[in-house]
Amino acid sequence: MRKAAVRILPISMTLGLAGALALGCGGSQGSRTGTAGTPGTAGTTGSAGTTGSGGGAAPYTCTPASTLDCTGSGLITYALADGTITSFSMQEWSNTAGKFCNATGLRGAIYGYNDGHAAVDGGGVSSNSQNVDTTGNRVLSLNWDAEAAGWAGGGLSFDSCVNASAFTALQFTATVTAGSLANCQFQVGLATQDERPTTQMSPPGGTCDPNGSSSCYRYPTVMNLADPGASVMTYTLPFSSFMMSTPQSSVPPQNQLVGIQWQVNDAAPSTDGGAQMPCVVTVAIDDVKFVKM
């Protein structure tokens, strides 16, 4: 499969954005016994037993904080030696727990959301679902139907706050496995503690007051990502290219990360007065990590 790469250069701009969040196998030793020789002739020798497959590496273990603490002992600070968030490997992802846990000690879950709007002008209602596909390349499969003027999204929520300031960019791969991004605007956001509502649990620790003067979920975002199509495309996005909300936080987003989320917005009609077509697509996300450019 052809693999493409996208690198976005840093930009400096601010924009008020309304986000949405719904926020191995052990081996066995085989054996096989030869059959006895026929009368009057020497018995034939049985073939050697086959060797069982080796057991996979043990799953990682994580001890997350009870709350999203971005300044105290609950903070996970990433070192340059390993910027992996997850590749959904057997060591990291557990279907039973519905969680990933990596070598750094970060545990998290997958989630999804949509606009929640009623149907517009006879259109449908936006929907979403998500799962980790463990049958092939082990990817996060995000299934989206964003109807007229709507959106749908999903991502990774962290059970501990993360400081990734040793790195300068977020990297991941994306592939369209069904449908099309032709009627969509594709984006990625950095979920931060200061834009996560105080009312959101599992875990608690957000510091945005949903009853305050400004709305929550205004996560720093890179919009209008290139369409990967059916090929695997690698995106490398500097933290400085994520558009910040206004007013800007005094804490850089990479110092207070509580998740990563991807989203599609239903695009406007291509012609004035034209019908607004829904955005129906499945995107596979993999190899999510922090990198230094």
Side-chain angles (χ1 to χ4, degrees):
M1 181 177 289
R2 182 172 61 86
K3 189 169 184 177
V6 170
R7 176 170 293 184
I8 293 182
L9 298 178
I11 61 174
S12 177
M13 61 188 299
T14 60
L15 178 66
L17 295 172
L21 177 65
L23 253 176
C25 298
S28 60
Q29 184 69 31
S31 62
R32 187 169 60 197
T33 305
T35 58
T38 57
T41 61
T44 59
T45 303
S47 60
T50 59
T51 302
S53 58
Y60 297 121
T61 57
C62 295
T63 306
S66 59
T67 187
L68 295 172
D69 178 4
C70 294
T71 58
S73 59
L75 176 67
I76 292 180
T77 299
Y78 265 72
L80 276 174
D82 185 7
T84 300
I85 299 174
T86 185
S87 61
F88 307 100
S89 68
M90 293 181 67
Q91 283 185 280
E92 295 171 337
W93 176 257
S94 168
N95 269 333
T96 302
K99 296 274 189 178
F100 70 88
C101 166
N102 67 24
T104 301
L106 176 64
R107 191 181 75 171
I110 63 175
Y111 67 92
Y113 59 92
N114 62 69
D115 56 75
H117 299 164
V120 176
D121 295 334
V125 177
S126 298
S127 62
N128 65 276
S129 65
Q130 54 283 326
N131 66 282
V132 173
D133 184 353
T134 60
T135 61
N137 293 329
R138 302 188 68 91
V139 297
L140 172 60
S141 185
L142 299 169
N143 311 292
W144 295 323
D145 181 349
E147 293 291 325
W151 64 83
L156 305 172
S157 63
F158 302 162
D159 288 352
S160 300
C161 187
V162 166
N163 183 330
S165 58
F167 301 87
T168 60
L170 172 71
Q171 186 177 94
F172 60 91
T173 68
T175 313
V176 173
T177 58
S180 171
L181 282 169
N183 299 316
C184 317
Q185 178 265 310
F186 184 33
Q187 67 184 53
V188 62
L190 302 174
T192 56
Q193 183 191 37
D194 62 4
E195 288 295 333
R196 180 183 172 102
T198 56
T199 53
Q200 189 169 334
M201 301 290 108
S202 300
T207 59
C208 179
D209 181 1
N211 300 314
S213 58
S214 61
S215 61
C216 301
Y217 300 124
R218 302 174 305 151
Y219 296 140
T221 302
V222 174
M223 304 179 72
N224 298 312
L225 294 175
D227 182 350
S231 300
V232 177
M233 182 174 284
T234 299
Y235 299 79
T236 303
L237 309 173
F239 294 136
S240 59
S241 69
F242 284 79
M243 295 181 290
M244 304 284 289
S245 59
T246 303
Q248 292 190 35
S249 169
S250 61
V251 182
Q254 61 267 33
N255 292 28
Q256 51 157 332
L257 293 171
V258 297
I260 311 291
Q261 66 180 40
W262 295 265
Q263 181 174 310
V264 291
N265 305 306
D266 188 37
S270 57
T271 59
D272 289 342
Q276 186 159 3
M277 303 302 293
C279 167
V280 182
V281 66
T282 298
V283 176
I285 301 293
D286 199 6
D287 295 329
V288 189
K289 65 182 72 174
F290 304 120
V291 297
K292 187 167 185 176
M293 298 176 65

